[in-house]
Amino acid sequence: MKVLNFGSLNLDYVYQVESILIPGETQAAKNRNTFCGGKGLNQSIALAKAGIPVYHAGMIGDGGEILLETCKENGVNTEFISKIPGPCGHTVIQVDKNAQNCILLFGGANRSITREFVDSVLSSFEKGDLLLLQNEVNELDYIIDAAYEKGMRIILNPSPYDSALEACDLSKVSLFLVNEIEGFQITGEKEPEKILSRIKELYPNAGIVLTLGGDGSVYQDETGIYHQGIYKVKAVDTTAAGDTFTGYFISSIIDGMPVQEGLALAAKASAIAVSRPGATASIPLREEVLSCGL
Ligand code: RIB
């Protein structure tokens, strides 16, 4: 079974600020760093660091070579990453003194995916292979339909949630990884229990991981419901914590770990990511997660 992640690659321009800016405010940043990120790239790197061979498909633009290098350095297969002229996907991220962030996303090359490109990537995959998706590239509905047609197993992290997801046939998804806000956007429900039961009604064959911030996470599938708390650490930057959780939890499924152990592994990995600055740079290696003492 091969694992393909079709997703974004971003340059993250991260500004350290006293407090997240309010409309009309000007504030001097204390520091600026450029990190490799993008929900797609972060999740590919989390999978690779967790020990899972992964192919990343996507597009980079001008200045995006460092994203390609980061993939290679971390063992992500880059055969399906194309470089095109024009702006690279990038973000402007503010991180405040409490490690809270806000993210302004510019899609750039991530929004230049063509159906021909999708077909050409998917021609290297087959029934039973796993496809991971987020919502930072265009043609998401087409990718889902084409992969489903081939018999690939589709895992979706519908983040950030927007109208593009309404065009997608979510009944083709085997596993959702959502936070409470995305859970509300998909189901119209706010209470975690109601989100879970509505997902079960809407997509009876799909599993779901619902992350609940400080309250941990819940996984539901046909075998039952499993809860996991968070591991408390001193937070430095929460960017990519969710992506780390996603990559590690999927790695646990691929490795055939019991659900409860997989949730704990993912929670530990994401706690370590929160304690460090940056996106891909903050994601720990599997050995570190296993020996971290959390
Ligand atoms: O999930 C974190 C990521 O979201 C950042 O790396 C940024 O690029 C945005 O896509």
Side-chain angles (χ1 to χ4, degrees), residues 10 12 37-39 42 91 103 136 239-240 243 279:
N10 292 333
D12 287 345
K39 291 186 195 305
N42 297 340
T91 60
I103 301 179
E136 287 189 346
T239 312
D243 300 326

Side-chain angles (χ1 to χ4, degrees), residues 1-3 124-131 151-154:
M1 182 199 67
K2 291 199 277 191
V3 180
S124 297
F125 295 86
E126 60 185 16
K127 186 174 164 60
D129 288 341
L130 196 152
L131 173 66
M152 292 178 77
R153 184 169 172 216
I154 301 168

Side-chain angles (χ1 to χ4, degrees), residues 217-228 258-260 263:
S217 56
V218 193
Y219 173 77
Q220 168 184 276
D221 68 7
E222 71 286 351
T223 67
I225 296 183
Y226 306 79
H227 295 264
Q228 173 65 48
V259 173
Q260 202 67 62
L263 287 173

Side-chain angles (χ1 to χ4, degrees), residues 35-168:
F35 290 110
C36 295
K39 291 186 195 305
L41 176 59
N42 297 340
Q43 293 179 20
S44 280
I45 295 214
L47 277 163
K49 287 192 173 179
I52 303 296
V54 55
Y55 294 80
H56 189 99
M59 293 199 174
I60 54 170
D62 302 341
E65 292 78 8
I66 189 173
L67 301 169
L68 202 57
E69 282 316 307
T70 298
C71 282
K72 289 180 182 160
E73 278 164 19
N74 287 284
V76 173
N77 186 302
T78 59
E79 201 177 316
F80 305 113
I81 299 178
S82 281
K83 168 122 182 17
I84 56 169
C88 199
H90 64 266
T91 60
V92 174
I93 303 182
Q94 298 174 38
V95 178
D96 75 9
K97 58 179 188 297
N98 300 315
Q100 290 305 309
N101 68 17
C102 69
I103 301 179
L104 174 65
L105 172 66
F106 181 77
N110 297 309
R111 310 293 310 171
S112 298
I113 307 295
T114 61
R115 294 186 174 192
E116 292 69 32
F117 180 67
V118 174
D119 291 342
S120 122
V121 171
L122 293 186
S123 68
S124 297
F125 295 86
E126 60 185 16
K127 186 174 164 60
D129 288 341
L130 196 152
L131 173 66
L132 172 60
L133 297 167
Q134 311 76 29
N135 186 30
E136 287 189 346
V137 297
N138 64 311
E139 294 291 0
L140 197 65
D141 54 339
Y142 184 79
I143 300 172
I144 289 175
D145 290 345
Y148 186 81
E149 195 66 32
K150 291 187 85 81
M152 292 178 77
R153 184 169 172 216
I154 301 168
I155 299 182
L156 176 66
N157 169 218
S159 181
Y161 192 96
D162 66 20
S163 59
L165 284 153
E166 280 150 30
C168 296

